[in-house]
């Protein structure tokens, strides 16, 4: 139906549907205080179109979660028996009465079946409507909000739905989501025109007992290359196959484009066998891969993720929609929730890469709990289907998005302005493997490595023994009141995160951040999947129950360094798991022997 006719059809549509009047039975569904840094500006134009998403409760998610843990637990008889897309969709499909009630409500506002789109399981209903209609439906007032960094969003801080729909609607967005979804590379360490990596230094090799042949080239203390990583993580000499069905992918957002010419320069410098090979590009929600505008984040993720795992087939997901949003005639739709577009897309695909790396996130408290929980549940669906998801832990230590610990503002967003550590999301989701950062050879924790404890998600049982041991060793009163001791703890693992040599705009460039660590770890996971598939075994899927069960085996424990923030020195890296480097960095050779 044409939305210009909706306004005149509202009364007729409402009278034809036997549901309580949406104007007389509304009750607040969600209300928040705007996150720090956001200022309300103008009223949003009523004719501005927004992509409204309505989440219906997933009928059997607890059963899906049970399946996820069973197929991910190496001690369980179902280990590796991943679910199909159809099996997952059946478990999360909403109840028919939820679908019927929500559609009746929409019809009362002149929105009918032909106007809607649905997720494969039917647990999301999506429709594009004018702001004016959304305000009437939700008893909300949308404004243009501006962040101190210049980003703008069209949002409301409160919305309502009819009383009888509260049990049938989990959340509606875009409403209260103020997340900015940043890349996890440091802005303070991006140096172009660094010398290529062709020659090693004259300094003697560094003795590292866990490394390949017990040594790492001395140049790796100044410049990290694919060769450095394979030496350090004991993978020299392992060559995967290209035709086993194994696949790796990285995600790109916010107009971050991966450049093919830069990739060839990187391969020529660091992975000569990969020259003239490339990766597949999959566009999500109109995402582009503009070769005239290469992105440092995208180049980093593709060059190292795919350089480590070559010749395993590789994909770059480029997802459209990015802030800043400027409501003008050239931008008629507010489309700056790209991450949800990507999740919707991948869940709709019958066949998925076994390993997917993402280097984006934001402070957990900028994401409404209902939204964070729903996105996290989507990751559980992917894990149940045999996908390993790696996420960067963040580049702000225990603090907020400011990479400088001295200028961080670590305040709660509940109106009380309590000083507290600020965990990151999606790093805090218990269904992903979160990767912190290290530096130097031998390795130590790097100062910006994000880590801590979720305020949203409870500590999962797979990590409770290691986390409780860490907390028990803390001096009494350490950071009292600054973090949630019972929350999901992260990171789970770590990898090098400084002095990575990539190629950007045709030039060698030095880059840092846990954006380096996540695709690095994912590249080695893809090699592990290669070994398992060649042995007739399923892919690893959701990693965390496995790696925590190994009790340190297959990992290099990092015991020095810390992650300052919020006016504190942050947590210390120490023996065993810690909220700076997790379980440590992987020893590929040892870990392969444990899982194949």
């Amino acid at each position: 139906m044409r939305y210009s006719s909706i306004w005149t059809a509202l009364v007729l549509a409402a009278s034809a549907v036997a549901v309580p009047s949406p104007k007389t039975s509304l009750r607040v569904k969600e209300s928040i205080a705007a996150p720090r840094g956001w200022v309300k500006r103008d009223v949003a134009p009523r004719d501005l179109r927004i992509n409204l998403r309505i989440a219906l409760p997933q009928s059997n998610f607890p059963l899906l979660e049970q399946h996820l843990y069973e197929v991910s637990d190496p001690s369980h008889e179902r280990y590796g028996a991943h679910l199909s897309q159809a099996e997952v969709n059946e478990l999360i499909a909403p109840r028919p009465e939820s679908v019927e009630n929500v559609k009746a409500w929409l019809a009362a506002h002149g929105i009918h079946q032909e106007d809607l789109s649905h997720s494969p399981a039917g647990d999301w209903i999506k429709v594009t409507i004018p702001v004016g209609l959304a305000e009437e439906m939700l008893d909300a007032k949308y404004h243009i909000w501006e962040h101190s960094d210049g980003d703008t969003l069209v949002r409301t801080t409160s919305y309502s739905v009819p009383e009888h729909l509260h049990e049938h609607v989990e959340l509606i967005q875009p409403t209260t989501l103020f997340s900015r979804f940043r890349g996890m590379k440091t802005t303070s360490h991006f140096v172009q025109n660094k010398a290529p990596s062709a020659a090693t230094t004259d300094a003697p090799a560094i003795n590292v007992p866990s490394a390949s042949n017990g040594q790492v080239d001395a140049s790796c203390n100044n410049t990290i290359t694919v060769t450095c990583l394979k030496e350090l993580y004991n993978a020299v000499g392992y060559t995967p196959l290209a035709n086993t069905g194994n696949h790796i992918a990285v995600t790109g957002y916010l107009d971050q484009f991966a450049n093919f010419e830069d990739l060839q320069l990187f391969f020529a410098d660091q992975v000569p066998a990969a020259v003239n090979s490339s990766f597949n590009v999959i566009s999500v929600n109109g995402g582009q891969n503009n070769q005239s505008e290469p992105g440092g984040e995208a180049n980093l993720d593709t060059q190292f993720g795919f350089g480590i795992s070559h010749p395993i087939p590789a994909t770059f997901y480029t997802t459209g929609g990015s802030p800043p949003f400027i409501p003008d005639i050239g931008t008629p739709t507010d489309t700056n929730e790209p991450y949800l577009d990507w999740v919707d897309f991948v869940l709709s695909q019958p066949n998925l890469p076994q390993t997917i790396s993402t280097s984006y996130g934001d402070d957990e408290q900028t994401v409404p709990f209902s939204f964070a929980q729903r996105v996290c549940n989507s990751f559980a669906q992917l894990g149940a289907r045999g996908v390993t998801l790696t996420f960067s832990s963040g580049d702000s230590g225990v603090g907020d998005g400011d990479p400088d610990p001295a200028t961080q503002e670590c305040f709660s967003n509940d109106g009380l302005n309590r000083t507290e550590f600020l965990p990151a999301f999606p790093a805090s989701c218990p269904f992903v493997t979160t990767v912190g950062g290290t530096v130097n050879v031998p390795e130590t924790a790097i100062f910006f490595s994000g880590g801590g404890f979720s305020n949203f998600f409870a500590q999962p049982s797979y990590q409770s023994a290691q986390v409780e041991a860490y907390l028990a060793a803390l001096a009494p009163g350490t950071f009292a009141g600054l973090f949630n001791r019972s929350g999901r703890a992260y990171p789970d693992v770590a990898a090098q995160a400084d002095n990575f040599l990539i190629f950007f705009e045709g030039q060698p460039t030095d880059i840092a951040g846990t954006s380096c660590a996540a695709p690095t770890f994912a590249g080695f996971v893809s090699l592990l999947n290669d070994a398992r598939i060649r042995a007739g075994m399923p892919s690893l899927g959701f990693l965390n129950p496995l790696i925590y069960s190994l009790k340190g085996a297959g990992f290099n424990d990092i015991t020095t360094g810390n992650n300052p923030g919020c006016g504190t020195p942050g947590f210390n890296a120490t023996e065993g798991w810690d909220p700076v480097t997790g379980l440590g960095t992987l020893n590929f050779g040892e870990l392969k022997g444990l899982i194949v």
Side-chain angles (χ1 to χ4, degrees):
M1 116 181 282
R2 293 180 308 159
Y3 286 105
S4 60
S5 67
I6 284 179
W7 308 104
T8 59
L10 287 178
V11 175
L12 291 175
S15 65
V17 180
V19 297
S21 168
K23 290 185 177 294
T24 60
S25 60
L26 291 169
R27 178 162 63 89
V28 173
K29 180 67 176 177
E30 193 167 35
S31 181
I32 68 162
R36 294 177 63 86
W38 289 97
V39 177
K40 183 164 62 177
R41 299 301 189 192
D42 297 334
V43 171
R46 285 178 59 81
D47 59 352
L48 176 71
R49 293 160 70 84
I50 57 175
N51 299 320
L52 205 66
R53 301 167 182 268
I54 305 167
L56 281 58
Q58 298 168 332
S59 56
N60 281 309
F61 183 80
L63 183 56
L64 173 74
E65 188 174 9
Q66 176 184 330
H67 283 297
L68 170 66
Y69 281 119
E70 288 178 356
V71 302
S72 306
D73 181 356
S75 67
H76 199 279
E77 62 182 1
R78 293 186 61 207
Y79 180 61
H82 306 306
L83 277 61
S84 67
Q85 180 192 31
E87 290 170 329
V88 168
N89 287 347
E90 183 178 355
L91 287 168
I92 65 166
R95 293 176 296 152
E97 55 265 37
S98 294
V99 177
E100 293 166 5
N101 275 277
V102 171
K103 285 188 175 181
W105 171 59
L106 294 173
H109 286 282
I111 303 170
H112 300 289
Q113 180 61 46
E114 63 267 25
D115 305 313
L116 308 177
S117 61
H118 303 263
S119 62
D123 57 327
W124 283 98
I125 294 176
K126 293 172 279 187
V127 61
T128 301
I129 61 174
V131 161
L133 179 55
E135 290 180 331
E136 181 169 336
M137 292 170 60
L138 303 176
D139 191 25
K141 192 64 179 177
Y142 280 85
H143 285 81
I144 298 168
W145 290 80
E146 183 177 5
H147 192 268
S148 55
D149 285 347
D151 290 349
T152 53
L153 296 171
V154 172
R155 293 294 186 267
T156 181
T157 55
S158 177
Y159 70 94
S160 302
V161 297
E163 181 88 27
H164 74 286
L165 286 185
H166 273 243
E167 65 176 300
H168 301 298
V169 172
E170 195 167 284
L171 69 137
I172 299 176
Q173 291 292 349
T175 50
T176 56
L177 175 65
F178 282 78
S179 176
R180 297 169 62 222
F181 199 58
R182 304 181 299 269
M184 296 298 189
K185 65 175 178 61
T186 66
T187 56
S188 59
H189 193 165
F190 188 79
V191 182
Q192 289 187 256
N193 301 317
K194 182 166 182 173
S197 63
T200 60
T201 69
D202 293 330
I206 305 166
N207 292 323
V208 180
S210 60
S212 294
N213 301 316
Q215 292 186 325
V216 177
D217 193 276
S219 65
C220 300
N221 253 329
N222 299 307
T223 301
I224 292 293
T225 65
V226 169
T227 297
C228 287
L229 295 169
K230 288 191 172 183
E231 287 180 359
L232 183 59
Y233 299 142
N234 192 20
V236 171
Y238 185 84
T239 303
L241 299 178
N243 59 356
T244 64
N246 191 21
H247 203 112
I248 183 173
V250 301
T251 62
Y253 305 92
L254 312 181
D255 293 335
Q256 277 283 324
F257 307 130
N259 188 268
F260 295 117
E261 292 184 3
D262 286 340
L263 179 72
Q264 294 307 314
L265 292 171
F266 177 84
F267 281 163
D269 182 57
Q270 298 190 32
V271 194
V275 171
N276 295 325
S277 68
S278 191
F279 52 84
N280 186 34
V281 176
I282 294 181
S283 171
V284 180
N285 191 37
Q288 303 296 311
N289 195 32
N290 188 340
Q291 294 301 286
S292 66
E293 298 180 8
E297 181 76 64
N299 276 9
L300 165 65
D301 292 344
T302 53
Q303 289 173 20
F304 271 89
F306 303 159
I308 291 167
S309 59
H310 176 77
I312 295 169
T315 291
F316 174 61
Y317 290 107
T318 174
T319 302
S322 63
F325 165 72
I326 302 174
D328 59 22
I329 193 169
T331 314
T333 305
D334 184 14
T335 56
N336 51 359
E337 294 180 60
Y339 197 72
L340 194 52
D341 289 322
W342 178 79
V343 172
D344 287 349
F345 175 83
V346 294
L347 286 173
S348 72
Q349 305 303 301
N351 299 303
L352 294 169
Q354 289 87 344
T355 311
I356 305 176
S357 179
T358 298
S359 295
Y360 296 78
D362 202 354
D363 296 341
E364 187 182 70
Q365 69 174 3
T366 69
V367 183
F369 172 72
S370 60
F371 183 84
Q373 186 175 49
R374 190 59 179 246
V375 171
C376 194
N377 288 355
S378 297
F379 300 150
Q381 296 173 51
L382 290 170
R385 291 176 59 183
V387 178
T388 298
L389 297 172
T390 66
F391 277 82
S392 302
S393 71
D395 294 341
S396 306
V398 296
D400 65 4
D402 188 339
D404 183 355
T407 57
Q408 290 176 355
E409 295 185 344
C410 301
F411 299 107
S412 65
N413 197 50
D414 55 6
L416 300 177
N417 286 332
R418 291 174 287 107
T419 300
E420 63 180 13
F421 293 163
L422 298 180
F425 180 81
S428 63
C429 172
F431 303 129
V432 306
T433 299
T434 302
V435 190
T438 63
V439 66
N440 296 333
V441 182
E443 293 182 275
T444 186
I446 196 162
F447 72 94
F448 56 67
S449 182
F453 297 78
S454 174
N455 290 320
F456 284 175
F457 302 103
Q459 188 180 114
S461 59
Y462 61 70
Q463 66 172 186
S464 59
Q466 288 92 332
V467 175
E468 288 171 8
Y470 177 84
L471 292 173
L474 282 180
T478 302
F479 306 138
L482 294 182
F483 70 97
N484 175 22
R485 295 173 68 97
S486 61
R488 185 301 204 236
Y490 73 96
D492 302 297
V493 294
Q496 287 277 316
D498 196 15
N499 299 318
F500 273 53
L501 180 64
I502 67 167
F503 279 77
F504 177 72
E505 295 182 334
Q507 299 297 322
T509 300
D510 198 23
I511 195 168
T514 54
S515 281
C516 302
T520 291
F521 189 82
F524 287 105
V525 171
S526 194
L527 297 184
L528 292 170
N529 277 332
D530 173 82
R532 284 178 61 85
I533 293 170
R534 287 162 69 171
M537 305 169 73
S539 63
L540 289 166
F542 177 41
L543 275 180
N544 294 4
L546 165 67
I547 58 179
Y548 280 92
S549 73
L550 295 174
K551 299 179 180 178
F555 287 87
N556 310 311
D557 195 9
I558 309 302
T559 60
T560 58
N562 59 299
N563 57 352
C566 304
T568 77
F571 297 108
N572 289 325
T574 188
E575 185 176 346
W577 180 90
D578 57 70
V580 192
T581 60
L583 298 167
T585 59
L586 89 169
N587 180 324
F588 172 81
E590 182 179 346
L591 195 52
K592 179 171 71 72
L594 294 170
I595 65 171
V596 177

